[in-house]
Amino acid sequence: MGYQVNVQPSGRQFEVLDGETVLEAGIRQGIGLPYGCKDGACGSCKCKKISGNVEHKPYQPSALSEDEAAQGFVLTCRAVPGSDLVLESRQVTSEGAYPVRKMPVRVLGMEQLSSDVMRLTLQLPANAPMQFHAGQYLDFLLADGQRRSYSMATAPHQVDPNKPQVELHVRHMPGGKFTDHVFSAMKEKEILRVEGPFGSFFLRDNSAGPVLFLASGTGFAPIKAILEHMTHTGNQRKVFLYWGARRPVDIYMHQWMLDYCAAHPNVSYVPVVSDALPEDVWEGKRGLALNQMLQDHPDMSSYQLYACGVPAMVHAAHAQCVGKAQLPEDSFFADAFTSLKDKTAQTATSA
């Protein structure tokens, strides 16, 4: 037996089958609910339950606090309905979602952008190319049923329909089943299986106000795609990118961003390094990218903010920007890069 979900204020309705999470049902039916990790770690899918009952699968407390659960908030990626539901989610996309598909891909190219970041270029099937928004991600489907998610650093207009390709930025996680293979054994022409597109981390055009991008590490990848999409569409909104890393070498496309800004005066770029060593000879900003952004933009009431990177950074950005810098709740968009460690740290908290 299934249950009906009504999403306000959009009025979108869809059915959740027995045992499905709300988000799984939404993706299956092309309902544009907001989400990031799909694993209960990032909190991007959090919304208010107006009526009905749910049981949560395990999730991380940082994604949904006890106070938020008591106030009726739910994580749609972990919430399994026990009745019909009415939810409040102001980020439901009116255009819906592109169809999610499984497909084979071929490794066309591998280039190390830094000691621990690999640019993977994948060839997609030419007979039915994947449609996606700039900023979305895909999942690699591993032989044992596990998945690994990576954002596409390619904008849709850059995909040649005759030879469709996408670029990914893969950071090496020592001991990681997939990234160890990428950095030690993967060869060009290797065939892999992927599923996508996923995620709601793409530019919203319902505002002409300035845009803040906040990235940590390879969180730059989807932002690169969005920037190139903005150029393609002629979008001239004022843009500020804050890219945080431990050391300068970790800002692996620094020169690319400098060149991009030189060609696009509406874009400002602030790299921020937290642990520079004397031999780095770093003369730029130091500390945390989030703190630098808050210092430069104490009033975000007219902004949209797109934060991408580790969950701790995403959670801190939401708390401080929405809570202290007057950023409207519905102007915060995030994609948290959850590792296997993040996923296994989930508790059995339920509501």
Side-chain angles (χ1 to χ4, degrees), residues 49-313:
K49 175 168 63 69
I50 305 303
S51 66
N53 301 304
V54 303
E55 291 289 336
H56 275 104
K57 294 182 177 181
Y59 61 86
Q60 289 194 32
S62 57
L64 182 70
S65 69
E66 290 184 5
D67 284 346
E68 289 172 328
Q71 294 171 37
F73 287 93
V74 300
L75 299 175
T76 62
C77 75
R78 311 306 286 168
V80 178
S83 68
D84 290 346
L85 296 176
V86 178
L87 302 177
E88 181 182 51
S89 178
R90 297 184 181 277
Q91 293 182 18
V92 175
T93 57
S94 58
E95 70 270 29
Y98 286 124
V100 174
R101 299 170 42 228
K102 294 180 180 178
M103 66 192 77
V105 297
R106 183 188 301 272
V107 178
L108 282 185
M110 303 171 64
E111 177 190 358
Q112 275 199 244
L113 301 176
S114 72
S115 62
D116 64 350
V117 175
M118 184 78 75
R119 188 207 317 261
L120 283 186
T121 303
L122 304 178
Q123 181 176 338
L124 306 175
N127 57 343
M130 180 172 61
Q131 295 178 287
F132 61 95
H133 293 291
Q136 290 190 292
Y137 67 89
L138 54 77
D139 282 355
F140 284 100
L141 307 177
L142 307 187
D144 62 359
Q146 295 188 55
R147 293 170 174 255
R148 296 295 186 269
S149 303
Y150 292 95
S151 294
M152 292 174 279
T154 304
H157 75 275
Q158 297 172 315
V159 178
D160 182 346
N162 297 314
K163 191 178 180 181
Q165 303 173 18
V166 293
E167 169 188 329
L168 312 177
H169 299 168
V170 178
R171 180 175 295 282
H172 188 204
M173 304 292 287
K177 180 176 181 178
F178 181 72
T179 62
D180 274 357
H181 174 71
V182 170
F183 278 78
S184 64
M186 181 174 282
K187 305 293 183 184
E188 292 186 4
K189 299 185 179 180
E190 184 172 328
I191 302 296
L192 303 165
R193 286 191 61 78
V194 301
E195 185 175 20
F198 292 113
S200 57
F201 191 77
F202 50 85
L203 187 71
R204 302 318 197 268
D205 295 324
N206 59 348
S207 171
V211 178
L212 289 166
F213 289 121
L214 177 65
S216 65
T218 53
F220 171 71
I223 292 171
K224 172 182 177 289
I226 295 172
L227 287 172
E228 293 181 321
H229 175 71
M230 294 179 73
T231 299
H232 176 69
T233 59
N235 192 320
Q236 291 295 308
R237 293 170 67 180
K238 187 66 177 175
V239 172
F240 303 90
L241 166 62
Y242 291 81
W243 188 358
R246 292 184 61 251
R247 297 182 60 193
V249 69
D250 297 321
I251 304 177
Y252 55 87
M253 293 189 73
H254 178 63
Q255 189 60 51
W256 188 95
M257 270 308 309
L258 293 177
D259 294 343
Y260 184 88
C261 290
H264 302 89
N266 62 308
V267 179
S268 299
Y269 163 53
V270 183
V272 185
V273 172
S274 62
D275 298 311
L277 299 177
E279 57 263 36
D280 292 328
V281 196
W282 177 249
E283 298 180 352
K285 300 292 185 180
R286 294 173 180 261
L288 298 179
L290 172 58
N291 292 346
Q292 185 63 51
M293 184 181 70
L294 287 163
Q295 178 180 319
D296 294 347
H297 305 276
D299 182 356
M300 301 180 185
S301 56
S302 63
Y303 291 69
Q304 288 181 338
L305 170 59
Y306 297 79
C308 187
V310 296
M313 182 272 285

